[in-house]
Amino acid sequence: MEAIETYENKHNIPHDWINYAISKSAPNGFWQRLERGEIKMDKDFFNGFNADLRNEKIWKDYHTSFRNSKEKLKDVANPTQLGDHVSLKAEAADTKPTDQDRGSQGPPLSGSTASESKDPSADRPSLSKLAKDTTIGDPVSIESEEVAESSSNDSSSVSKQSTASSSPSPPQATSTLESLPPLPDIDGESLFWSMMEHSRKPDPYIFPALLRLGKTSPKERPIVAALSNTVIFPPGHPYNRLSEPPESSPRSHFDIFIASAEAGMRKPNPDIYKLALRELDKLDKEKGGSGIKAEDCVFLDDIGENLKTAKDMGMKTIKVVLGKTWRAVKELEQATGAELMDDKTRRSKL
């Protein structure tokens, strides 16, 4: 998430540490428990969140495995190209979307990208499932990158009197907590609110596409649903959805909105996907359709773990790459047959 990167740069925090700390505190870290609605957003939450961000074991793992693997990947990647390891490997500008863009960490996809209703009165596409995530980090895709590292053995030392192999070099000592840099001093509450503020800003490509989907004719309009990892704000807080006029709420743009904090489970738990499918199937039948199955769905997300679960269930998945979200819109156009970009955007990006 852009807000995390901004915070890390501003406070000289090692790149990806915040993402890594939050993701590695799963499944019962304070962030995950808040998104499941198990705890309140109060002083105890922020104290616990701060503790997760200062976990010494995770800090050691970050330096001894995760960060080292990223440094190795940079060694074999194009040194003139800027960006994180995913950008270096698969997200170079002006390239066509790759399998990694589409979140294809799972097994091969079965089923078609769109389906037609067997009911003659329902010729519209059964579903485009548009989900915009508020969770952060992609530990699965980051950690699953395999980096080839070549090494050479020390040559044997040879003398005129005798020939003998040199003794093998002693193994390097494993890094200990004492040899690591000090844990960053992070204000979890300040970080949290900066993330929440940023998450409320509409994406310049995804949001217009959502509006265009809503304006298509009823016969052609797909069912649009959100499956979102969310939090519950304190009563009276300006971000509390109960304080928002219905027409200004993000929920007003979706036929179905499933919030993790209200459902008591969060992505990538398969159970929340099954809940979404039940709701979609029910609504489609109420509209005269023949029902919704996983293979009828197009699932968008920016988190590898969330995409993998959807793909394993049979959904078509589209990777939303932050900073390049127009690519996801282009793929969604191909999946739905709808025009979701204006002419200006299309000319500048395609």
Side-chain angles (χ1 to χ4, degrees):
M1 182 179 285
E2 191 174 330
I4 293 179
E5 184 176 358
T6 300
Y7 187 95
E8 288 178 336
N9 292 338
K10 181 179 179 180
H11 298 278
N12 296 317
I13 296 169
H15 181 59
D16 275 341
W17 161 244
I18 294 174
N19 262 340
Y20 190 83
I22 294 175
S23 64
K24 285 299 181 180
S25 66
N28 293 314
F30 278 79
W31 183 276
Q32 291 81 13
R33 292 167 61 192
L34 184 71
E35 286 192 333
R36 292 195 298 262
E38 297 173 356
I39 56 177
K40 295 180 179 180
M41 189 185 298
D42 55 16
K43 183 179 179 180
D44 289 339
F45 161 71
F46 288 114
N47 288 340
F49 184 42
N50 273 321
D52 286 343
L53 294 172
R54 294 189 60 81
N55 185 298
E56 292 183 348
K57 182 181 183 304
I58 296 177
W59 178 243
K60 180 179 179 181
D61 292 342
Y62 168 80
H63 279 276
T64 58
S65 57
F66 168 70
R67 199 175 187 194
N68 287 342
S69 69
K70 292 192 71 175
E71 290 301 320
K72 292 175 185 177
L73 183 57
K74 288 180 181 178
D75 290 340
V76 300
N78 182 354
T80 65
Q81 187 178 0
L82 299 178
D84 58 19
H85 76 286
V86 175
S87 299
L88 291 167
K89 188 171 183 180
E91 308 298 343
D94 300 324
T95 59
K96 295 182 178 180
T98 64
D99 288 340
Q100 182 68 24
D101 290 338
R102 298 180 175 87
S104 55
Q105 294 92 332
L109 178 66
S110 60
S112 58
T113 61
S115 69
E116 297 182 356
S117 174
K118 297 179 181 179
D119 190 334
S121 65
D123 295 329
R124 70 188 189 287
S126 294
L127 170 70
S128 287
K129 185 174 182 302
L130 186 61
K132 188 71 179 76
D133 186 23
T134 57
T135 15
I136 56 178
D138 188 354
V140 171
S141 62
I142 288 175
E143 292 177 0
S144 62
E145 299 288 346
E146 295 182 355
V147 181
E149 178 186 19
S150 61
S151 61
S152 58
N153 296 323
D154 293 334
S155 57
S156 301
S157 102
V158 181
S159 66
K160 292 182 179 179
Q161 289 79 12
S162 63
T163 303
S165 298
S166 61
S167 301
S169 301
Q172 293 182 348
T174 304
S175 297
T176 63
L177 194 60
E178 290 75 15
S179 65
L180 299 178
L183 272 159
D185 186 13
I186 299 175
D187 182 345
E189 186 168 359
S190 174
L191 168 65
F192 178 87
W193 289 117
S194 67
M195 292 167 61
M196 293 300 104
E197 180 181 2
H198 186 274
S199 69
R200 296 176 68 80
K201 298 177 181 178
D203 182 86
Y205 303 108
I206 296 290
F207 186 66
L210 177 60
L211 296 180
R212 283 176 172 262
L213 275 174
K215 293 179 180 179
T216 54
S217 66
K219 184 178 180 180
E220 298 177 352
R221 185 181 185 278
I223 299 175
V224 183
L227 177 56
S228 181
N229 284 354
T230 58
V231 299
I232 297 176
F233 295 99
H237 191 277
Y239 291 173
N240 192 313
R241 72 179 184 88
L242 298 178
S243 304
E244 295 178 322
E247 63 275 8
S248 66
S249 170
R251 296 172 182 244
S252 65
H253 302 294
F254 298 92
D255 299 304
I256 296 171
F257 194 103
I258 297 177
S260 64
E262 297 171 5
M265 46 191 168
R266 65 189 292 275
K267 297 178 292 184
N269 185 340
D271 289 339
I272 198 169
Y273 295 75
K274 294 174 182 177
L275 172 62
L277 284 172
R278 289 195 298 270
E279 294 298 317
L280 291 162
D281 183 71
K282 177 183 176 182
L283 180 58
D284 189 62
K285 289 177 178 176
E286 289 176 356
K287 290 178 174 288
S290 58
I292 294 292
K293 296 181 180 179
E295 53 266 29
D296 301 319
C297 300
V298 182
F299 181 85
L300 292 86
D301 207 294
D302 62 330
I303 305 297
E305 287 179 303
N306 300 341
L307 290 161
K308 185 179 185 303
T309 300
K311 193 177 185 70
D312 289 345
M313 297 183 71
M315 299 179 188
K316 172 180 172 57
T317 60
I318 297 176
K319 173 85 174 188
V320 179
V321 180
L322 300 182
K324 300 175 184 177
T325 55
W326 63 270
R327 291 183 175 180
V329 175
K330 180 182 177 183
E331 290 189 65
L332 187 59
E333 285 187 326
Q334 296 170 348
T336 63
E339 293 187 5
L340 304 177
M341 291 185 186
D342 58 34
D343 292 338
K344 182 180 180 181
T345 301
R346 195 175 303 280
R347 286 194 302 269
S348 65
K349 293 297 182 183
L350 304 182

